[in-house]
Amino acid sequence: MVGRAMALAFMLGTGVVQQMARILPASQQMLLLGAAVVLLLCGAVCSGALKGLRPVLWVAAFGLLGVWNASWQAQDLLAQQLPLQEENKPFKLTVQIESLVRLQPDSRSFVVRVLEARPEHVPEFVSLRWSAQEWGGPYAQPKWQDFPTMAPGQVWKLTAFLKTPHGARNPAGFDYEGYVFAQGVRATGSIRGTPELLSHRPQRWSVNVAANQWRHRLREAMLPYVQNLRWGGVILALSIGDQASISPPDWQVFNRTGLTHLVSISGSHVTLLAAMSALCFSWLWRRIRVAGHAVTEYVPAAIAAGCLALIIAGLYSLTAGWEVPARRTFIMFGVTVTTLLWRLPVSITQIIAVAVVVVLLFDPWAILASGFWLSFGAVYVLVVCSQWSGHTLWQGGRSRWQNYWAQWRLAAVWQIVITVALLPPLAFLFFEISLVSPLSNAYAIPLIGLLITPLALLFALLSLSPLDWLTQWVLWACHGLLELNMWLTVWLGEHPLASLPAARAPAWVLGLGFVGMGVALLPRALPFAYLGWILVLPALCWREPVLGPGQWRLHAVDVGQGSAIIVETAQQTLVFDTGVRRGPQSDEGERTLMPYLRSLGKTHIDVLVLSHADLDHVGGASSLLRFFPVRQSFSSFPLESHLQREARLLNTNTALPPLPQAQSPCERGHRWQVDGVQFAFVWPSATLYGDTKNKDKNAQSCVLQIIGQYHRALLTGDVGVAEEKKLVETGLGAHDVVVVGHHGSKTSSGPEWVAHMQATLAIAQVGWWSRFGHPHPEVEQRWQQAGAQFLRTDLLGAVVVRSTETALHYDTVRQQQGRYWQNPVGWHADKGNY
């Protein structure tokens, strides 16, 4: 029990560090290490009446060691910060490719180790992207370009513009900066010109490079076979962990049916493959004789099979990319084999505890990965199930079919328990609850784990051989079984009740759910323990506190160089603009707004306002209409015509997304009131409907006024100085919150307008290193001199403003959820109340 408590303390100490905005100084880190050593020594020498303090001292020591280990490794990475004066500057680099190269039609992406650099002071590991010179625009399908073969271990000489990693930051959104930091990457860059290949052999060998060279070789051999197959990308993912070929719609199917863990390399894949290998080898080992003696007389079959299982698990984990679930499984196999060799009595929970400590010891950022919690959580639930359901699956006195039925019934119960137990973390991470997960996993786990994955690995190995006929046959069998699996899965995923939306609950609600599960999974320990499941319900049914009459909440979403705003009242959800379209299969409606709205628990949009037809404002409209039913839309252009034009440019045969139930132009004077909040369009005076001569889309932007009981807000689209003057002339009053026009461009936010608004908060939605130079320094200074707090989404992330009877509150993601790894160029002000 003490060892498991020590592992828990180590995990908690590691987790505390990953929530810090700043890492402890080196002097304090040494104090922590010294205190941990003292506590360990004191616990070791405790005797007599003080012997009872030993567990407490050791648990405390491991907690401090967890803090020190994570802090020390983080400090080492932070020291590799790219100098601020060298941001976005060209560097001449000699690099060695470390990762498997990500293949896209018009680009290549990979992580490199920097061997030489001019100027110096470049981080050791950098993520680079080499893009084709031609770009056909956001609607053009990318064409396959000719790139030289790039493989792990190669040494290249190149020129790249480097930056410190920066990504969009939204509540409950993907933290790109934290992700690349966990990979050891401290700079990203784009390659200019043509790189020069210096060597095919690595200058610095490592296990990682050797594993990725092996993965590259397998992929090169497999691609000619699978590149034209419907589920070829899934075969690549199951065999070598390369998920780049799986499309976003396919990922949505896996999420809705609860099979994402099977497409990724999960612990179950490694376990089943290693277990099957061990069983076969054990059977063979018992039949081998040397000089008339069975080899089991020298090495028991269990130990021989265990060692082989460990080797198989290690090789597959490396081939699959060494992700957290695979690492967890390999370490657990390692501990199990070690205990067999040394005849040590160790329980499965102790093995889990050791695996937790070892994983976090070498990778303290693993605790941030969803795979860490889902993998260890699933194993723990299985262990608990086995304890309270009994260990005897085959009983005498019953027929063979009765025993089979008992086993299948028990497996079904376990699957249901695991599914329910994982619902809170899955809802917290992915904002939906899969209702068909028990059914889909019931057939997919044995089908993918026992048949498809072994066949995929066999196909991968055969693709290196000259036996083309056998390779084709194995691939045919593998893909055929996968098609059967996916036919059932797609059918389930398309059902309207396949999944339910789930808002992200606060961390304390999720923690309460874990406590309830811990109680419910131990029914023999406490009476009425099953009532613990009640504590799980808040994490699944969470809703944000309802706003009062006259109150509103505004979300200025971080969508880069574009605009997307969500306004909530007690009963209404309004979306103003939908962000930018970046490519034919990439837009901010699907990438950012959809998960943002789902994290808020939204299932529909009451009002959709599209200010004007520029792609940085309406680029995500089509995707948003596919995901959410919209009751009413307002726009300064014909929405259906825009969607039809977009479909023609995308050259797709898919039907248009469902249109809003009602469509209207956003003409000045149109107003409505809901929940004590008034919404009114104050511009434009005339729309572009039927006006083919007026080409100035910005001048026709919808401008929406929000008047609550306590505060006012104004959403201005891209209107310019001329429109601002006309609005002032119409008698438009002051506003507490203004989303500045045209992203802070010099063509908007004129002196008269800024002075007239008397704003408390001025919000600029802009992209990092905007090529347009937004916001203009004069505009930013003008708002600040007028007394407004100027909030930039590129520096602060998403901005959330709440109008209440007490004050006007605002939060920014980078200050509220600040972490030590985030880009140092940003805002560090305190939380604001006005």
Side-chain angles (χ1 to χ4, degrees):
M1 190 66 184
V2 175
R4 282 158 284 195
M6 291 162 63
L8 179 61
F10 189 88
M11 184 181 71
L12 292 176
T14 303
V16 166
V17 175
Q18 310 309 345
Q19 300 301 310
M20 291 181 176
R22 291 179 178 82
I23 285 296
L24 297 173
S27 58
Q28 295 184 18
Q29 293 179 30
M30 294 308 298
L31 286 175
L32 283 176
L33 178 60
V37 172
V38 170
L39 289 174
L40 288 173
L41 293 175
C42 291
V45 300
C46 280
S47 61
L50 298 177
K51 192 174 181 179
L53 290 177
R54 180 181 296 171
V56 177
L57 295 176
W58 283 356
V59 169
F62 263 68
L64 294 178
L65 285 174
V67 174
W68 171 79
N69 177 65
S71 300
W72 172 67
Q73 294 195 48
Q75 190 65 50
D76 182 60
L77 274 181
L78 289 172
Q80 300 182 37
Q81 172 69 43
L82 189 71
L84 296 180
Q85 65 272 17
E86 300 293 345
E87 286 278 338
N88 205 29
K89 299 289 181 64
F91 286 79
K92 294 187 179 297
L93 306 174
T94 301
V95 301
Q96 175 181 295
I97 299 178
E98 295 284 310
S99 69
L100 190 67
V101 178
R102 182 180 177 88
L103 305 178
Q104 295 293 335
D106 55 353
S107 68
R108 298 291 185 267
S109 304
F110 43 89
V111 174
V112 301
R113 181 195 295 269
V114 177
L115 303 176
E116 296 180 12
R118 286 184 299 158
E120 298 179 346
H121 307 295
V122 175
E124 182 180 9
F125 293 100
V126 175
S127 177
L128 295 179
R129 180 183 178 89
W130 186 10
S131 300
Q133 298 299 318
E134 299 180 3
W135 185 63
Y139 291 114
Q141 295 292 336
K143 299 179 181 179
W144 281 97
Q145 305 291 330
D146 290 329
F147 288 93
T149 300
M150 309 189 80
Q154 290 179 343
V155 178
W156 291 78
K157 185 177 182 180
L158 51 85
T159 299
F161 281 71
L162 299 184
K163 300 177 185 177
T164 300
H166 184 280
R169 290 294 306 275
N170 291 293
F174 176 65
D175 185 358
Y176 170 76
E177 295 166 39
Y179 171 78
V180 296
F181 190 92
Q183 312 304 312
V185 172
R186 295 296 294 131
T188 61
S190 57
I191 297 174
R192 302 296 172 87
T194 303
E196 176 187 355
L197 177 62
L198 300 181
S199 173
H200 287 281
R201 295 185 176 182
Q203 290 189 14
R204 298 188 184 179
W205 186 90
S206 66
V207 174
N208 179 61
V209 170
N212 284 323
Q213 286 178 319
W214 170 243
R215 296 174 70 203
H216 169 80
R217 185 182 175 191
L218 287 174
R219 186 175 67 179
E220 290 296 297
M222 296 166 66
L223 275 176
Y225 292 96
V226 303
Q227 58 187 359
N228 295 322
L229 295 179
R230 171 63 182 90
W231 302 107
V234 177
I235 294 176
L236 287 175
L238 291 174
S239 53
I240 62 173
D242 183 10
Q243 303 173 0
S245 300
I246 301 178
S247 65
D250 289 343
W251 280 118
Q252 292 171 16
V253 172
F254 296 134
N255 287 335
R256 285 176 60 84
T257 55
L259 296 185
T260 304
H261 67 103
L262 292 180
V263 181
S264 307
I265 301 300
S266 67
S268 62
H269 293 83
V270 181
T271 302
L272 289 173
L273 181 66
M276 288 171 59
S277 303
L279 286 173
C280 294
F281 186 74
S282 177
W283 179 89
L284 180 64
W285 189 261
R286 290 188 177 93
R287 285 154 180 80
I288 297 176
R289 302 181 70 84
V290 177
H293 297 278
V295 291
T296 52
E297 296 180 17
Y298 307 99
V299 180
I303 293 179
C307 291
L308 177 70
L310 179 61
I311 294 172
I312 294 294
L315 291 175
Y316 183 34
S317 298
L318 288 172
T319 302
W322 198 239
E323 296 296 332
V324 172
R327 270 180 276 166
R328 184 267 304 164
T329 306
F330 173 73
I331 292 169
M332 291 182 64
F333 266 115
V335 175
T336 303
V337 172
T338 302
T339 57
L340 284 174
L341 291 173
W342 292 91
R343 305 294 197 274
L344 298 175
V346 179
S347 67
I348 183 63
T349 54
Q350 290 174 319
I351 293 175
I352 295 174
V354 173
V356 167
V357 173
V358 174
V359 168
L360 295 180
L361 182 66
F362 292 100
D363 182 10
W365 301 281
I367 199 171
L368 300 173
S370 58
F372 177 88
W373 298 100
L374 297 178
S375 178
F376 279 105
V379 172
Y380 178 75
V381 173
L382 275 175
V383 171
V384 173
C385 285
S386 68
Q387 291 177 348
W388 57 254
S389 61
H391 299 278
T392 302
L393 299 180
W394 196 278
Q395 296 181 6
R398 297 193 305 194
S399 69
R400 175 180 298 180
W401 292 108
Q402 287 177 325
N403 280 306
Y404 283 147
W405 169 249
Q407 292 181 58
W408 280 105
R409 184 176 59 183
L410 184 61
V413 171
W414 286 14
Q415 179 60 52
I416 293 173
V417 171
I418 291 176
T419 300
V420 174
L422 293 182
L423 284 180
L426 288 172
F428 184 82
L429 294 168
F430 304 114
F431 323 128
E432 64 180 344
I433 301 170
S434 176
L435 299 181
V436 298
S437 177
L439 179 59
S440 60
N441 278 274
Y443 67 79
I445 288 178
L447 195 58
I448 293 179
L450 296 176
L451 295 176
I452 296 174
T453 298
L455 285 173
L457 288 171
L458 180 59
F459 157 68
L461 295 174
L462 287 173
S463 66
L464 298 173
S465 73
L467 302 175
D468 182 70
W469 65 272
L470 184 58
T471 305
Q472 293 277 12
W473 186 87
V474 172
L475 176 60
W476 173 81
C478 179
H479 193 261
L481 289 171
L482 189 56
E483 280 189 313
L484 172 62
N485 179 86
M486 293 311 303
W487 177 78
L488 292 169
T489 302
V490 171
W491 181 77
L492 285 173
E494 290 177 346
H495 195 281
L497 295 179
S499 65
L500 295 177
R504 169 169 280 193
W508 67 267
V509 176
L510 183 64
L512 187 66
F514 285 150
V515 172
M517 280 189 290
V519 174
L521 290 174
L522 299 173
R524 297 179 181 177
L526 297 171
F528 307 107
Y530 58 88
L531 295 178
W533 291 114
I534 296 176
L535 298 180
V536 178
L537 295 178
L540 303 178
C541 307
W542 176 261
R543 289 293 181 270
E544 289 288 334
V546 178
L547 295 168
Q551 298 181 355
W552 50 263
R553 185 186 297 115
L554 182 150
H555 307 256
V557 185
D558 185 2
V559 291
Q561 185 65 31
S563 177
I565 299 165
I566 301 170
V567 181
E568 299 178 273
T569 63
Q571 302 296 329
Q572 178 184 271
T573 301
L574 180 146
V575 176
F576 188 95
D577 286 342
T578 59
V580 65
R581 172 175 286 279
R582 305 186 185 278
Q585 297 179 341
S586 175
D587 63 74
E588 291 298 325
E590 179 178 354
R591 181 180 178 181
T592 302
L593 271 180
M594 183 271 287
Y596 197 115
L597 287 165
R598 283 187 172 177
S599 72
L600 297 175
K602 306 301 181 183
T603 58
H604 68 274
I605 297 172
D606 296 291
V607 180
L608 173 64
V609 180
L610 301 173
S611 64
H612 61 297
D614 281 354
L615 274 187
D616 58 337
H617 290 253
V618 299
S622 179
S623 294
L624 211 61
L625 287 169
R626 294 187 190 279
F627 285 112
F628 296 97
V630 177
R631 295 176 177 173
Q632 171 74 59
S633 71
F634 296 95
S635 60
S636 61
F637 58 91
L639 175 58
E640 187 172 2
S641 298
H642 167 77
L643 295 174
Q644 290 172 345
R645 175 180 175 273
E646 190 171 62
R648 289 195 302 270
L649 291 172
L650 289 171
N651 194 25
T652 60
N653 296 322
T654 57
L656 292 180
L659 294 174
Q661 297 175 14
Q663 303 175 51
S664 303
C666 53
E667 294 180 305
R668 184 173 66 190
H670 184 90
R671 64 184 68 242
W672 71 97
Q673 185 167 327
V674 59
D675 304 322
V677 180
Q678 179 176 287
F679 295 83
F681 288 110
V682 297
W683 192 263
S685 56
T687 67
L688 285 176
Y689 283 91
D691 186 0
T692 59
K693 296 181 180 179
N694 192 335
K695 302 297 183 181
D696 190 355
K697 299 177 184 177
N698 292 345
Q700 294 294 332
S701 291
C702 306
V703 178
L704 181 64
Q705 182 185 52
I706 304 167
I707 304 176
Q709 187 173 343
Y710 312 104
H711 304 94
R712 295 184 171 198
L714 192 67
L715 314 182
T716 60
D718 276 358
V719 293
V721 173
E723 291 74 44
E724 292 172 350
K725 290 181 179 180
K726 293 178 182 178
L727 283 168
V728 172
E729 292 172 358
T730 62
L732 184 68
H735 287 73
D736 303 282
V737 180
V738 176
V739 179
V740 300
H742 205 182
H743 318 285
S745 166
K746 196 176 181 180
T747 61
S748 301
S749 298
E752 180 183 358
W753 172 261
V754 173
H756 184 76
M757 284 294 100
Q758 303 177 29
T760 300
L761 300 177
I763 303 172
Q765 290 186 291
V766 292
W768 182 250
W769 282 97
S770 169
R771 63 189 179 95
F772 304 103
H774 298 159
H776 196 280
E778 291 182 10
V779 171
E780 183 172 358
Q781 186 179 19
R782 187 176 298 150
W783 283 102
Q784 291 172 339
Q785 289 177 345
Q789 189 87 355
F790 195 81
L791 307 176
R792 299 171 46 172
T793 55
D794 61 334
L795 301 181
L796 298 171
V799 181
V800 181
V801 183
R802 299 181 304 281
S803 170
T804 66
E805 58 184 350
T806 57
L808 183 68
H809 309 272
Y810 79 89
D811 292 311
T812 66
V813 175
R814 287 186 181 270
Q815 68 184 29
Q816 187 183 40
Q817 302 177 16
R819 300 294 183 265
Y820 62 83
W821 55 73
Q822 71 184 25
N823 194 297
V825 181
W827 188 270
H828 301 291
D830 293 330
K831 180 178 176 180
N833 298 314
Y834 288 93

